[in-house]
Amino acid sequence: FGTTVFHVVSTVTTSGFTTENFSLWPGFLPYLLLVGAFMGACSQSVGGGIKAWRVLIMINQAYKEILKTIHPNAVLTSKIGSRVIDAKIAEKVWGFFSIYVFIFMFLLMAMLGTGLSFETAFSAVGACLNNLGPGLGDVASNYANVSELGKFILCFAMILGRLEIFTLLVLFTPA
């Protein structure tokens, strides 16, 4: 039980510490841990990923949109706790999420192009973009079997994750 709790906390906080190869755990558990890293890390954290506060904002916004469908004339606000979430903030969060998904898919296709299996490529991109560390498949213990091009792609993913994507994309924008 202690090992499981340690790995869950380590993965969701994107600390990257492991005491055993969690990719050998039964069933869907390794994938659940990896998905936790996508939404792990908190505000002001240097961990990559979507971050917990963005996930909360997206869930609140989605719920608000469902209620608007049922009650089209209702005036609704999204809240986290007692704080009202400005509509512009929610819009920026959804913009970040859409760019995050696009970049993830682009990097995943690039890694698949290097000859990795889907499981290895998916988890390697997820681990690097979220600054997690360990992945699944061939990158469960280390990244030694990843090609030079693959390592370059994953280094770029780590930089994107660490700098919150928008920061790096602004550097490549002509404006």
Side-chain angles (χ1 to χ4, degrees):
F1 178 74
T3 302
T4 304
V5 171
F6 176 81
H7 278 90
V8 169
V9 170
S10 176
T11 303
V12 171
T13 61
T14 66
S15 298
F17 298 115
T18 61
T19 58
E20 64 182 54
N21 188 349
F22 68 85
S23 69
L24 300 176
W25 288 3
F28 70 96
L29 294 176
Y31 302 101
L32 184 63
L33 277 179
L34 188 64
V35 168
F38 280 87
M39 53 189 151
C42 292
S43 177
Q44 306 300 317
S45 167
V46 294
I50 299 167
K51 300 215 188 297
W53 68 274
R54 286 190 185 117
V55 173
L56 284 174
I57 289 173
M58 289 188 299
I59 289 170
N60 283 333
Q61 186 67 22
Y63 180 69
K64 183 176 128 180
E65 293 302 322
I66 290 169
L67 289 177
K68 275 184 155 183
T69 302
I70 298 168
H71 306 287
N73 296 325
V75 177
L76 304 168
T77 57
S78 294
K79 291 182 180 182
I80 293 182
S82 61
R83 290 187 68 185
V84 175
I85 301 164
D86 188 291
K88 289 181 182 181
I89 299 288
E91 185 178 312
K92 287 179 182 182
V93 167
W94 280 105
F96 173 86
F97 181 70
S98 63
I99 289 173
Y100 181 94
V101 169
F102 175 77
I103 287 174
F104 183 88
M105 296 305 292
F106 179 78
L107 293 171
L108 174 62
M109 293 301 142
M111 289 304 292
L112 288 171
T114 67
L116 293 177
S117 69
F118 182 81
E119 177 185 46
T120 300
F122 184 91
S123 69
V125 170
C128 290
L129 192 57
N130 298 325
N131 292 293
L132 172 61
L136 304 174
D138 293 339
V139 295
S141 57
N142 62 56
Y143 290 75
N145 294 329
V146 176
S147 69
E148 292 295 320
L149 177 60
K151 288 176 184 165
F152 177 77
I153 293 165
L154 293 177
C155 285
F156 181 68
M158 284 190 283
I159 292 168
L160 277 172
R162 183 61 56 133
L163 296 179
E164 289 284 319
I165 297 175
F166 279 147
T167 308
L168 193 60
L169 293 179
V170 165
L171 295 175
F172 297 113
T173 305

